[in-house]
Amino acid sequence: MTDLTRRQALLLTLATGLPLVAGSGRAQAQSAQKVTVALDWTVNTNHIGLFVARDKGFYREAGLEVDILPYSDTGAGTLVANRVADFGINGTISLFTQRTAGADLKGVYAVVQSETGRVVFNAARSEIVSPRNLDGLTYGGFGSAWENALISTIIRHDGGKGNFETVTLGTSAYEALANGSVDFTLEVSTWEGVEAELKGVKQRSFVYADYGVPDEHTTLISSSEAYLQANPKPAAAFVQATQRGYQFAVDRPDEAAALLIAANKDALTNPALIHTSLKALIDGHYLRSQSGAIGIMDPAKMEAIGDYLFASGILRDADGKVLTQRPDFARYFSNLTLG
């Protein structure tokens, strides 16, 4: 799932398997700038560019020694905002909600170019033809205000009332969907969706952007204003080397997938899932857009999702009060040296 819902769904900590790539010589090792990046979830294909950049030596060539921190019960955005990590993978929604609540966060890299989430339900549910048929049904959810606004918008856009029952289940929602305990849930098409396909589970889905919800980058890499201002050159070098890692994954997916699996042997025990998921990310133009963009955040897209969150009353200040004045969303992100 997305960064926001995943953290609320499961508390796991997985360590990466390979050591950092050493510098080629004592002088280079001594001069390398140490950088930490926190993961938003257990290792998956969204993270592939980081591991490629580390293990192919792209970070080392940029003068960096990068430590990829394992996922923990403290979200990546919180780690970054509190200067525990220099960078972190997080969702666009969590970037906006945390920043408006006072967290020192700024998006610097778009891991995916468009929304990977879907409203999903069992294919056998022939009575579900369009989103308005979800009215009155039971949603297996993850406990965020974003989900309620999202689903209500989708249903109402299709002519429904936007009324549904919610059961907060976390990742158990997928099992509940399979056994019919809930009627629908949300999933990431390039991960849970691929996993369901590989298991032979037949599903159908609705794409958010088809029903009134602005498209978004879904997954970003963020830093803090404090870090970016104090370390402009290492920050730019990190983003550029990371872009090289994701570019490599797009151009040489088999090698990139093998690198990711080798670096996380204990966690990634299903190679078919990794290879198929990466193929979905590439074929769907998620890692590289149809126009060729990799890593670049679309300002119009960022502003649009910000406006949607503001209009939906999801954005709150540090006191928990709903924002009444639209923030300057342009300050929430920067493409640094990418575009």
Side-chain angles (χ1 to χ4, degrees):
M1 288 305 301
T2 62
D3 169 60
L4 180 65
T5 57
R6 280 173 167 170
R7 291 191 209 134
Q8 297 165 331
L10 189 61
L11 306 181
L12 289 174
T13 302
L14 294 178
T16 56
L18 287 184
L20 297 175
V21 178
S24 56
R26 184 183 302 273
Q28 185 176 17
Q30 289 177 341
S31 63
Q33 172 86 29
K34 292 187 177 181
V35 173
T36 53
V37 54
L39 300 185
D40 62 327
W41 187 236
T42 53
V43 177
N44 59 72
T45 45
N46 277 350
H47 309 142
I48 196 164
L50 298 172
F51 287 92
V52 169
R54 187 192 71 177
D55 296 338
K56 291 296 291 184
F58 299 159
Y59 289 135
R60 185 187 65 236
E61 292 170 14
L64 305 175
E65 180 185 342
V66 174
D67 186 9
I68 301 174
L69 305 178
Y71 169 73
S72 73
D73 58 336
T74 301
T78 300
L79 295 175
V80 170
N82 288 283
R83 300 299 301 276
V84 177
D86 302 318
F87 296 90
I89 291 189
N90 63 310
T92 299
I93 307 305
S94 63
L95 167 68
F96 278 77
T97 55
Q98 286 186 278
R99 170 116 184 191
T100 55
D104 182 9
L105 285 175
K106 189 165 191 172
V108 296
Y109 186 94
V111 175
V112 297
Q113 290 297 308
S114 58
E115 177 66 70
T116 53
R118 301 286 186 270
V119 176
V120 66
F121 51 95
N122 292 328
R125 298 293 298 272
S126 58
E127 76 277 18
I128 303 177
V129 178
S130 66
R132 65 177 175 270
N133 301 131
L134 301 177
D135 258 335
L137 300 187
T138 300
Y139 163 64
F142 302 83
S144 72
W146 154 248
E147 301 162 58
N148 293 329
L150 168 76
I151 296 168
S152 293
T153 296
I154 290 171
I155 294 174
R156 290 197 305 267
H157 191 274
D158 190 48
K161 295 179 180 178
N163 298 326
F164 55 93
E165 299 295 326
T166 298
V167 180
T168 301
L169 297 172
T171 52
S172 298
Y174 304 119
E175 181 181 350
L177 181 66
N179 65 33
S181 299
V182 298
D183 300 303
F184 65 101
T185 189
L186 304 181
E187 72 173 16
V188 176
S189 62
T190 54
W191 188 255
E192 289 95 355
V194 167
E195 189 172 31
E197 253 183 63
L198 291 174
K199 292 178 178 178
V201 176
K202 304 299 182 183
Q203 297 178 328
R204 289 186 290 127
S205 62
F206 300 130
V207 177
Y208 307 163
D210 289 345
Y211 298 96
V213 180
D215 191 20
E216 58 159 327
H217 289 295
T218 312
T219 305
L220 305 174
I221 297 176
S222 297
S223 187
S224 63
E225 293 275 14
Y227 180 83
L228 296 173
Q229 291 174 13
N231 302 275
K233 289 184 179 179
F238 172 80
V239 171
Q240 290 172 336
T242 298
Q243 186 185 44
R244 282 186 68 190
Y246 282 99
Q247 176 75 62
F248 184 97
V250 171
D251 293 338
R252 301 168 68 174
D254 288 342
E255 186 175 349
L259 278 172
L260 182 66
I261 294 167
N264 301 278
K265 290 179 180 178
D266 293 338
L268 302 180
T269 58
N270 184 355
L273 174 59
I274 304 306
H275 286 276
T276 309
S277 172
L278 182 55
K279 185 177 188 302
L281 283 165
I282 295 170
D283 291 351
H285 299 286
Y286 294 110
L287 294 185
R288 179 171 60 195
S289 72
Q290 289 184 317
S291 65
I294 294 181
I296 298 173
M297 289 171 286
D298 180 346
K301 188 172 290 189
M302 295 293 286
E303 295 273 356
I305 195 65
D307 285 337
Y308 175 81
L309 295 174
F310 175 65
S312 300
I314 292 173
L315 301 182
R316 297 174 179 267
D317 64 19
D319 296 322
K321 296 179 180 178
V322 175
L323 295 189
T324 57
Q325 185 174 351
R326 181 191 185 276
D328 181 4
F329 295 124
R331 299 174 62 88
Y332 285 28
F333 64 96
S334 171
N335 282 307
L336 296 180
T337 56
L338 293 185

